């Protein structure tokens, strides 16, 4: 939860961990048992999907990513806004996402596909409204939840007018006053601790594999430890503890309970990829943050994508995707990748009643489906392959270009500038033919994207502008040909891009072949705005040619903004003389 807005994470977090290991009782078990293994270490936050839509898509998720997952489940206040899900009114497992039976079926379906489920769980508070009826029909008032809690089960701090938190320099206030009017549970009392543990154990009885503890900063770490000591087994734990400069409550206090979400990482990636220099990101365990082995990290989550505290899918020049590639390639932390939806206002709930819809390598019906992006699904495979291998062969010829290996299992190069980067890279990878998992995948020994050959401890490659390349031992193959066989002549390919612009902006086309400028913005082809907001240009291309391309915006001052990954890909027709490719800016 963020400090200024009621929030929460209703989400499938396909979270890549092995099954929790069993251990002895008590606090000594917490750290090792409640952190993920290294075999699978990626979380996908499928924000606001219904249980049924998760179950219907889990085979696709597992096939693409091979991950584990998470969702919130308790009854909450009514309302279409996404944050209503995080104002609970009972522990009945009925929410906008579905009912108890649907929740249980989703868990069983996930487990059958090798996907685990982490529940986003609220130990800190109940609702923030005076009274009402929840989505399952439970009536309540601000401090009375019949059959669950009464007035005495909440903190009434008396430190500020209305009991709301104002002063984050006061530990007692932060942990006993109310976060934006949310009724603050007295987690220091025996009854509340036992009731919360009962709720957690009910979720575990249905097969839940772990918990994300929302607003954990607002609960004393000792209270969390006490509650977890009553929980059955050793589920994975990650805790939302937002760091604040000079504040008395620090993320490091919570590592004895499990992983901690490290928001300083999110800020650092935003600053670095927005012009501060990505070469500064080599040694993240030396920043004074939570240790990487205890950190849960993300480029953006549901809060930060809305409040401006991170990059998001609309960030210019593909920086959001590049930062995500980095997050999945680097050793620091257990990464979470947000898979979200389009919104007009920051309060908007999910489209289509929460029934998530994807298509091909992206989303549909208002959903982004970032987990299907070629670059992201490819990098999840990269991370699962390289495991805990150390960073090797780090190079950075300038502040916005970095490349590094992960032992003898993988190698990545990231180019955060507006021109291509051609270099010979030193690598510990074995000799062989590899598929770049940013531009495509390995399919029956053939790369659907770019092929890269490693020989004698090195390879030469061109990293496109504002893009990356990544290879690993789990994606072998030879590169696809740039042209088909048996075809001759050219085809007039019409590119039609729908994009709204401001005065002085123009849309250009650039791509992987010489006719499209070989990824050089200076050689990009201008599109006509005669049918605005559809921009169009026709280019003669060799029949049968397979190529990748993107659109860029050029500002009046010469600034270039690239659309987001993945690269678009097409094959020029081998029959006929014309072809049309219609797309929209992303």
């Amino acid at each position: 939860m963020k400090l200024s807005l009621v929030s929460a994470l209703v989400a499938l977090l396909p979270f890549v961990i092995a099954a929790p290991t069993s251990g002895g009782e008590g606090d000594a078990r917490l750290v090792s048992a409640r952190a993920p293994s290294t075999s699978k270490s990626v979380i996908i936050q499928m924000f606001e999907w219904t249980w049924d839509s998760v179950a219907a898509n889990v085979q696709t998720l597992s096939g693409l990513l091979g991950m584990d997952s998470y969702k919130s489940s308790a009854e909450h206040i009514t309302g279409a806004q996404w944050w209503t899900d995080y104002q609970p009114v009972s522990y009945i497992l009925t929410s906008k996402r579905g009912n108890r039976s649907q929740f249980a079926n989703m868990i069983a379906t996930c487990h059958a596909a090798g996907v685990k489920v982490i529940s986003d769980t609220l130990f800190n508070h109940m609702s923030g409204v005076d009274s009402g009826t929840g989505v399952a029909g439970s009536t309540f008032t601000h401090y009375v939840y019949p059959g669950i809690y009464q007035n005495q089960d909440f903190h009434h701090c008396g430190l500020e007018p209305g009991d709301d938190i104002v002063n984050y320099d006061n530990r007692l206030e932060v942990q006993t006053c109310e976060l934006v009017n949310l009724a603050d549970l007295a987690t220091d009392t025996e009854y509340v601790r036992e009731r919360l543990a009962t709720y957690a154990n009910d979720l575990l009885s249905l097969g839940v594999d772990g918990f994300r503890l929302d607003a954990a900063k607002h609960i004393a770490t000792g209270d969390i430890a006490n509650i977890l000591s009553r929980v059955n087994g050793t589920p994975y734990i990650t805790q939302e503890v937002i760091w604040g400069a000079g504040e008395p409550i620090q993320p490091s206090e919570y590592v004895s309970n499990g992983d901690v979400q490290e928001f300083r990482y999110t800020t650092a990636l935003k600053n670095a990829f927005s012009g501060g220099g990505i070469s500064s990101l080599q040694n993240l365990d030396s920043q004074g943050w939570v240790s990487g082995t205890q950190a849960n990290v993300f480029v953006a989550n549901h809060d930060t994508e809305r409040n401006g505290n991170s990059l998001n899918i609309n960030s210019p020049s593909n920086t959001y995707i590049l930062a995500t590639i980095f997050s999945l390639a680097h050793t620091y932390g257990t990464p979470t990748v947000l898979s979200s939806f389009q919104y007009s206002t920051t309060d908007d709930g999910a489209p289509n009643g929460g029934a998530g819809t994807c298509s091909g390598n992206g989303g549909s019906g208002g959903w982004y489906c970032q987990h299907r992006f070629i670059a992201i699904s490819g990098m999840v495979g990269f991370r699962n392959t390289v495991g805990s291998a150390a960073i090797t062969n780090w190079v950075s010829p300038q502040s916005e270009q970095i490349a590094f290996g992960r032992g003898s299992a993988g190698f990545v190069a990231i180019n955060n500038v507006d021109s291509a980067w051609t270099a010979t890279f030193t690598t510990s990878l074995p000799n062989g033919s590899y598929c770049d998992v940013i531009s495509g995948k390995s399919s029956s020994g053939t790369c659907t994207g770019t092929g890269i050959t490693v020989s004698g401890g090195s390879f030469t490659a061109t990293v496109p502008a504002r893009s990356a390349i990544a290879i690993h031992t789990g994606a072998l193959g030879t590169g696809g040909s740039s042209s088909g066989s048996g075809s001759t002549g050219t085809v007039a390919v019409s590119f039609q891009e729908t994009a709204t612009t401001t005065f002085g902006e123009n849309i250009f086309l650039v791509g992987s072949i010489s006719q499209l400028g070989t990824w050089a913005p200076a050689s990009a082809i201008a599109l006509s705005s005669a049918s605005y907001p559809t921009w169009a240009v026709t280019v003669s291309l060799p029949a049968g040619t397979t190529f990748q391309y993107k659109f860029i915006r050029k500002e009046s001052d010469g600034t270039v903004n690239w659309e987001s990954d993945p690269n678009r890909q097409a094959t020029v027709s081998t029959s006929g003389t014309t072809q049309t490719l219609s797309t929209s800016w992303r």
Side-chain angles (χ1 to χ4, degrees):
M1 174 157 310
K2 62 185 179 183
L3 302 182
S4 61
L5 175 67
V6 176
S7 72
L9 252 176
V10 169
L12 169 78
L13 277 187
F15 168 43
V16 187
I17 55 173
T21 54
S22 59
E25 298 302 317
D27 294 346
R29 66 183 178 169
L30 298 182
V31 175
S32 61
R34 288 176 173 157
S37 75
T38 55
S39 59
K40 293 181 179 179
S41 58
V42 178
I43 297 169
I44 302 295
Q45 181 192 347
M46 303 281 287
F47 185 47
E48 290 246 299
W49 285 47
T50 63
W51 309 144
D52 286 349
S53 63
V54 171
N57 285 274
V58 72
Q59 289 293 344
T60 303
L61 286 169
S62 181
L64 283 170
L65 307 173
M67 295 186 291
D68 308 45
S69 50
Y70 103 44
K71 282 261 185 188
S72 178
S73 53
E75 181 185 12
H76 50 77
I77 65 172
T78 59
Q81 303 92 332
W82 64 269
W83 44 260
T84 61
D85 299 53
Y86 282 79
Q87 297 195 42
V89 303
S90 82
Y91 297 131
I92 296 171
L93 300 185
T94 295
S95 69
K96 284 186 292 189
R97 313 278 73 78
N99 59 32
R100 183 183 183 94
S101 175
Q102 291 167 314
F103 183 60
N105 177 67
M106 182 269 292
I107 295 171
T109 304
C110 286
H111 285 177
V115 177
K116 288 190 168 68
V117 177
I118 303 169
S119 176
D120 198 14
T121 308
L122 293 114
F123 286 173
N124 179 65
H125 59 263
M126 297 297 281
S127 76
V129 298
D130 289 339
S131 63
T133 302
V135 294
S138 299
T139 59
F140 65 93
T141 63
H142 200 188
Y143 301 112
V144 176
Y145 300 83
I148 309 173
Y149 299 121
Q150 304 298 316
N151 185 72
Q152 67 270 19
D153 299 317
F154 296 92
H155 288 134
H156 304 280
C157 69
L159 298 174
E160 299 286 354
D163 281 354
D164 272 359
I165 300 169
V166 176
N167 181 12
Y168 276 81
D169 292 327
N170 184 330
R171 176 186 292 270
L172 183 66
E173 183 169 331
V174 173
Q175 295 184 334
T176 64
C177 290
E178 294 179 352
L179 180 63
V180 288
N181 201 46
L182 296 166
D184 194 75
L185 284 165
T187 51
D188 51 343
T189 64
E190 174 65 21
Y191 173 78
V192 171
R193 288 173 170 179
E194 185 61 27
R195 188 64 191 84
L196 290 170
T198 298
Y199 169 50
N201 284 327
D202 185 38
L203 295 174
L204 292 172
S205 75
L206 296 179
V208 164
D209 301 286
F211 302 108
R212 173 195 179 266
L213 302 184
D214 185 74
K217 175 178 181 175
H218 300 279
I219 310 171
T221 185
D223 292 354
I224 294 175
N226 185 287
I227 296 164
L228 293 179
S229 72
R230 304 166 190 242
V231 168
N232 299 328
T234 50
Y236 172 74
I237 300 295
T238 183
Q239 303 159 95
E240 184 193 31
V241 184
I242 301 175
W243 177 83
E247 292 182 8
I249 301 170
Q250 293 294 304
S252 57
E253 299 175 25
Y254 292 80
V255 296
S256 61
N257 298 323
D259 280 1
V260 176
Q261 294 189 319
E262 182 52 91
F263 283 77
R264 287 170 286 190
Y265 173 96
T266 303
T267 301
L269 263 60
K270 177 187 178 184
N271 293 340
F273 280 91
S274 298
I278 62 176
S279 61
S280 63
L281 301 174
Q282 180 176 4
N283 299 311
L284 297 182
D285 259 315
S286 65
Q287 303 297 314
W289 305 341
V290 170
S291 166
T293 59
Q294 298 168 311
N296 175 208
V297 299
F298 48 84
V299 175
N301 74 2
H302 61 292
D303 276 332
T304 65
E305 75 163 352
R306 288 167 169 78
N307 65 20
N309 288 337
S310 71
L311 298 169
N312 63 41
I313 198 168
N314 296 312
S315 295
S317 296
N318 206 35
T319 47
Y320 169 77
I321 300 298
L322 291 183
T324 303
I325 291 169
F326 171 84
S327 183
L328 293 169
H330 200 276
T331 56
Y332 183 85
T334 296
T336 293
V337 177
L338 176 66
S339 190
S340 56
F341 52 84
Q342 300 170 23
Y343 56 87
S344 297
T345 75
T346 57
D347 290 334
D348 288 352
N352 196 29
T357 54
C358 302
S359 177
N361 296 319
S364 63
W367 296 86
Y368 288 126
C369 297
Q370 290 101 315
H371 61 284
R372 287 202 179 195
F373 287 9
I374 292 173
I376 292 177
S377 62
M379 285 307 297
V380 170
F382 176 99
R383 190 174 187 88
N384 289 342
T385 297
V386 302
S388 59
I391 290 175
T392 57
N393 301 119
W394 177 283
V395 294
S396 181
Q398 59 135 294
S399 65
E400 297 293 353
Q401 294 172 332
I402 59 173
F404 58 93
R406 291 293 304 275
S408 59
F411 194 93
V412 64
I414 301 173
N415 183 21
N416 194 35
V417 298
D418 290 331
S419 57
W421 173 24
T422 299
T424 297
F425 300 99
T426 299
T427 177
S428 300
L429 282 166
N431 291 347
S433 297
Y434 297 84
C435 297
D436 168 35
V437 297
I438 304 302
S439 60
K441 61 182 179 180
S442 174
S443 178
S444 301
T446 299
C447 305
T448 63
T450 302
I452 293 173
T453 300
V454 173
S455 178
S458 68
F459 67 92
T460 300
T462 296
V463 188
R466 299 287 185 175
S467 191
I469 60 170
I471 56 177
H472 64 85
T473 54
L476 304 178
T478 55
S481 62
S482 62
S483 63
S485 59
S487 60
T488 59
T490 61
V491 175
V493 180
S494 175
F495 295 86
Q496 298 180 359
E497 171 79 345
T498 300
T500 56
T501 56
T502 59
F503 182 76
E505 287 183 336
N506 288 282
I507 303 298
F508 287 74
L509 169 69
V510 67
S512 60
I513 54 178
S514 59
Q515 293 88 343
L516 302 182
T518 320
W519 295 120
S523 301
I525 301 168
L527 277 72
S528 168
S529 62
S531 299
Y532 182 87
T534 298
W535 296 70
V537 69
T538 299
V539 183
S540 293
L541 299 178
T545 301
T546 296
F547 62 97
Q548 295 183 0
Y549 66 103
K550 278 186 175 180
F551 296 96
I552 60 176
R553 294 173 185 259
K554 288 189 178 182
E555 311 287 346
S556 56
D557 63 0
T559 302
V560 174
N561 288 326
W562 293 69
E563 66 175 350
S564 294
D565 268 348
N567 294 340
R568 304 183 188 276
Q569 183 166 307
T571 299
V572 182
S573 174
T574 56
S575 61
T577 58
T578 62
Q579 182 177 356
T580 299
L581 299 174
S582 298
T583 54
S584 296
W585 180 270
R586 64 189 182 199

